Amino acid sequence: MTLTHRRAAGGVAALTLTGLVVGLAAAPTATGAPAPATPGTFLAPYYTELDLTGDLQVTADDLAVVAANLGLTAQDEGWKDVALVDTDADGALTVADLAAVSQRIVYDDGPFELVEASVVDMQAAMNAGVTTSVEITQEYLDRIAAYDRTLVDTGAGGRPLASIVTTSTVALDAAKQADAVRASQGMTSMLLGVPVAVKDNYDTKDMPTTGGCGCWDANQTATDAAMVDGLRADGAVLLAKASLDEFAFGFESQFSSFQAAGSATYVASPYSTSRTAGGSSGGTGAAISANLAGIGFGTDTGGSIRVPSSYNQLVGVRPTIGLASRDGIIPLALSQDTGGPMTRSVTDAAVALDAVVGVDPADPVTSRQQGEVPASYTQYLDADALDGARIGYVPSMIGTNATTVRLWAETRATLESLGATVVEVTPPTSYSDVLPRGFASVVGEGSGSTNEFKHDLDAYVANHLSPAVEARTLSQIVDSGRYVPSRRSTYVSRGAITEETYQAWAGPEGTHTKVLAEGKTLVTGMLDELELDALVYPSGNPYGTIGTNLRLSPNTGMPAVTVPMGQASATEAIPGAGVNLELLGRDFDEGPLLGLAYALEQATQARTAPPLYGPLG
C-alpha cells in the first residue's frame, strides 16, 4: 500500500501573552513571505499565513522575530522581511501585532472541555500541557462506559445509544506513544493523539471487525484497512469500533454483533433516543454527535454517511470514488462503496480526510487520483469561500417537508448574503439510450448492493476474513443463526445472485456500469454549462429521506459534503430534529466543497450538541 498523507488543521486557538516578550531577543532570521504549501503541511491558512521563518506554521520562533523587531516601521531597513505581520496595517510593528501573531499558534493554556472539542482544541490544549492524549482517551472511554449502553433518556421510548461495538484494549498505550512523540518532536500532525472511532466494517488489527453481524464476532484480522493505516500513520488513537446496520445494508442501523442468536439492537439518535441514528453508519453518527470520540469514519454506498450525518447534525464527506482506498473494508457494492469522515465540524472533516487519501495498488481505482489531491484539504477553509461562488439547485430536490423548505429558504438567503449566486437548475429530461430520462435516470438507478454484495463479499472473505470465522458464505451465515433475524430473506436472495447476473450489472459492459459512467458525464455537464461550483440539496428531512436525493453522488461517483443547516422549530413536526444541506461537485473537488461548507458553517453555526450527553459530573 502507498498512501500519501495530507495533514491538516483549522479553527481558533489562543496563546497567553504573559511574559512572552521577555527573553525573545535572540530571534531567528526572518525569511520574508512564507513559501507555498508543500506536501506534508498540515495546517490551514489561518495557522500559516503569518509564518516568518518558513516552516509553514507560526511558532515561538516567529514570535521571537516579531519581538526582536518591535518598533520597526515601514521606513526602516528590513521592513520587507516582517511587513507580513503588520496585522493592523499601521506601518509599524507593535505589541498588538505580537498578540495577533500569537493567536495563530496552536496552543491554548486555558481550561479544556472535551465535549464538542475540535481537533484544534485538542491539539492546542495538548501543546500547552493542559491535557494529554492519555487523559483525553481515558475521558472518551469513561464517556462510552457512562453513556453508550446506559438508559439516559427516560422519556417515552427512550433507548441506550448502542453506538459502540468494541473499545480498544490498547488505546491508552497508543495515546501514551502519541504523548511521547509530542514530547520529543512536537505536534507532528493534527491527528496526533486524537481518539478516533471507525465503523465496524473497517479492519483493525487490535479489535475485531464484525460488520455488525454476530456471525463474524471472531473476525480478528491480521492487518488494518488502508484508511486505518493512514490514521495510525498520522498518530491517531484507534479508540473504538462503531455499530452499524448489519453489513451496511440499510438506514436503520440494526446489528447483532456480540449478541445471542436471534437477537439484535437498534442504534439510537442522541437527540431523540426513541428514533434511529440513521444508517448504515449510525453508530459512528451517534457516537461522534454524543462526543464519545474525537472524529469518526463511516462508509457510504447509497447514503450511509450522509443519512446519519443529517440525523445527528454532523459534517459528512462522501469522497470521489478513487480518493480513498476501500481495501480492508467489508464491501457492500464496490461500484459505489467509499469510506469517509463524519465529524462535528468542517475543519475536523478536512483534517480527517487528509490522513486517508492515497494511491493503493490493492484498490486499483485509486490510481485515478494522481495529480488531483492537494497538499492539504484545510487550505480551502476560508470563511469567504462563498463570495463569488455559483451554487445550483434543482427545485424538485427540495421536497415539501415544512421544516426542510423553511431551512432551505433561510440557507439560500445566507448563501446569497455571503456573496454566492444561487441558480435554479432545470436538469435534462432525456440524454441517451443508457439514460433515456436524462437526470431522472441517473437518480433513479438503484443501489448495487443486491447484485454486487455476494461477489464483493467473497473477495473480502478470500483476502481478509480471519480463519477463525466459520460462516464464510451467505448460506453459512444463514445456517449460523447469528444475524439480524429480519435479514434472512435478504441473505438468501443475495446469495442466489449468479456470476452472470453480476457481470450483466457491474461488469465492464454492465448496465449499472454504463449508467454510472454516463451519469457522471451528464451531471458534470450540468455544472459546466452553468459554471456552477456545486449543486446543493437537502440530504434529507427530519429523521427521514427525500426522494432520490441521496442517489446523486453514488450514481455518479462524484463527491458530496453534507453540513448542518438547522433544526425543526418547537412548532414543527419533530422539534429539534436536524436537517443537512448536501453539496455535490466535480470529481476530486472535495477541497472546494469543504471550503463552501466551511463558509456556511462559520456563518450559521447550525450544529447543536445533544443536551442529554453533556460533560460527565
Side-chain angles (χ1 to χ4, degrees):
M1 178 183 65
T2 304
L3 288 178
T4 305
H5 305 302
R6 313 294 187 185
R7 299 183 176 123
V12 177
L15 175 68
T16 300
L17 279 172
T18 305
L20 190 62
V21 179
V22 178
L24 292 181
T29 302
T31 59
T38 57
T41 186
F42 58 86
L43 292 172
Y46 180 85
Y47 295 107
T48 61
E49 60 193 2
L50 298 185
D51 170 39
L52 289 172
T53 56
D55 60 357
L56 298 178
Q57 57 185 312
V58 176
T59 66
D61 288 343
D62 298 287
L63 297 183
V65 173
V66 181
N69 287 280
L70 286 175
L72 201 69
T73 71
Q75 286 72 45
D76 295 331
E77 184 179 355
W79 175 256
K80 63 179 177 62
D81 291 332
V82 295
L84 176 71
V85 296
D86 179 19
T87 58
D88 53 12
D90 65 353
L93 285 193
T94 66
V95 172
D97 297 313
L98 182 65
V101 174
S102 77
Q103 300 300 308
R104 308 304 179 97
I105 300 179
V106 184
Y107 183 103
D108 189 345
D109 59 4
F112 174 72
E113 172 54 60
L114 188 69
V115 172
E116 295 298 292
S118 69
V119 293
V120 178
D121 295 330
M122 294 181 209
Q123 295 298 341
M126 288 189 286
N127 287 343
V130 171
T131 188
T132 65
S133 178
V134 168
E135 291 170 348
I136 289 173
T137 301
Q138 184 62 62
E139 187 168 353
Y140 277 131
L141 290 170
D142 292 344
R143 289 181 62 80
I144 292 169
Y147 282 145
D148 192 56
R149 297 301 173 106
T150 302
L151 181 61
V152 175
D153 182 359
T154 57
R159 296 179 285 142
L161 293 178
S163 68
I164 299 297
V165 174
T166 307
T167 55
S168 172
T169 60
V170 297
L172 289 171
D173 292 334
K176 186 181 297 184
Q177 293 172 10
D179 286 335
V181 169
R182 189 182 306 275
S184 63
Q185 302 176 45
M187 182 179 63
T188 57
S189 157
M190 283 305 294
L191 286 181
L192 179 64
V194 173
V196 177
V198 298
K199 186 175 181 178
D200 198 21
N201 57 354
Y202 284 71
D203 285 356
T204 48
K205 58 189 177 185
D206 47 14
M207 290 176 278
T209 301
T210 72
C213 187
C215 62
W216 280 13
D217 286 350
N219 184 29
Q220 181 56 70
T221 61
T223 58
D224 287 325
M227 291 174 67
V228 172
D229 269 336
L231 291 166
R232 292 198 204 269
D234 270 12
V237 174
L238 269 293
L239 177 76
K241 304 296 286 292
S243 50
L244 67 153
D245 198 73
E246 190 170 86
F247 285 116
F249 278 173
F251 294 159
E252 61 181 7
S253 283
Q254 188 181 17
F255 66 101
S256 62
S257 307
F258 301 106
Q259 298 173 59
S263 300
T265 299
Y266 285 97
V267 184
S269 167
Y271 296 92
S272 177
T273 66
S274 63
R275 298 181 183 275
T276 176
S280 63
S281 309
T284 305
I288 300 307
S289 194
N291 288 275
L292 304 188
I295 61 172
F297 278 82
T299 60
D300 191 307
T301 304
S304 293
I305 285 173
R306 294 160 293 144
V307 169
S309 292
S310 190
Y311 287 13
N312 298 290
Q313 301 184 35
L314 298 175
V315 176
V317 181
R318 178 190 158 87
T320 307
I321 296 292
L323 183 65
S325 172
R326 286 87 51 88
D327 187 54
I329 298 176
I330 299 171
L332 180 59
L334 285 174
S335 68
Q336 296 169 305
D337 284 352
T338 185
M342 299 169 65
T343 61
R344 293 181 291 270
S345 71
V346 176
T347 296
D348 286 3
V351 169
L353 190 60
D354 275 349
V356 297
V357 302
V359 175
D360 180 8
D363 187 1
V365 73
T366 58
S367 63
R368 297 184 61 232
Q369 71 182 257
Q370 293 282 7
E372 300 283 357
V373 180
S376 172
Y377 287 103
T378 61
Q379 71 189 57
Y380 295 93
L381 303 183
D382 180 358
D384 296 323
L386 282 162
D387 191 10
R390 289 178 58 81
I391 306 298
Y393 77 101
V394 176
S396 63
M397 297 181 76
I398 306 303
T400 59
N401 178 275
T403 298
T404 304
V405 169
R406 174 182 62 80
L407 290 172
W408 162 245
E410 294 173 359
T411 300
R412 175 175 180 169
T414 299
L415 294 171
E416 292 173 337
S417 74
L418 295 171
T421 299
V422 179
V423 181
E424 183 174 320
V425 177
T426 302
T429 56
S430 62
Y431 191 71
S432 68
D433 290 342
V434 172
L435 302 175
R437 296 181 296 128
F439 185 77
S441 294
V442 177
V443 294
E445 177 73 358
S447 167
S449 59
T450 296
N451 290 331
E452 297 175 52
F453 181 57
K454 177 184 176 182
H455 174 277
D456 295 344
L457 189 70
D458 284 348
Y460 174 89
V461 168
N463 294 318
H464 296 281
L465 190 68
S466 168
V469 176
E470 297 180 359
R472 307 185 75 81
T473 66
L474 288 175
S475 62
Q476 289 171 344
I477 288 172
V478 171
D479 292 343
S480 76
R482 301 195 61 209
Y483 53 87
V484 172
S486 62
R487 304 294 165 83
R488 186 181 189 282
S489 62
T490 299
Y491 294 137
V492 171
S493 62
R494 293 185 184 186
I497 298 295
T498 65
E499 181 63 16
E500 290 74 20
T501 297
Y502 168 82
Q503 290 296 337
W505 170 265
E509 296 299 317
T511 58
H512 186 63
T513 303
K514 292 178 179 179
V515 169
L516 268 57
E518 288 203 19
K520 184 192 300 290
T521 301
L522 183 151
V523 176
T524 302
M526 288 169 58
L527 294 171
D528 291 346
E529 181 180 358
L530 294 173
E531 298 181 327
L532 300 176
D533 295 287
L535 193 67
V536 303
Y537 43 90
S539 289
N541 292 318
Y543 291 112
T545 58
I546 300 177
T548 55
N549 286 14
L550 292 164
R551 295 189 182 276
L552 185 56
S553 177
N555 287 358
T556 60
M558 296 162 70
V561 174
T562 184
V563 61
M565 63 175 176
Q567 300 82 35
S569 70
T571 59
E572 292 173 332
I574 320 180
V579 177
N580 274 24
L581 183 73
E582 190 163 323
L583 301 92
L584 179 119
R586 298 169 181 80
D587 274 10
F588 301 108
D589 261 5
E590 285 81 0
L593 292 177
L594 286 164
L596 298 172
Y598 178 79
L600 180 63
E601 173 194 63
Q602 295 305 296
T604 64
Q605 298 295 317
R607 171 175 161 78
T608 63
L612 290 173
Y613 300 91
L616 294 176

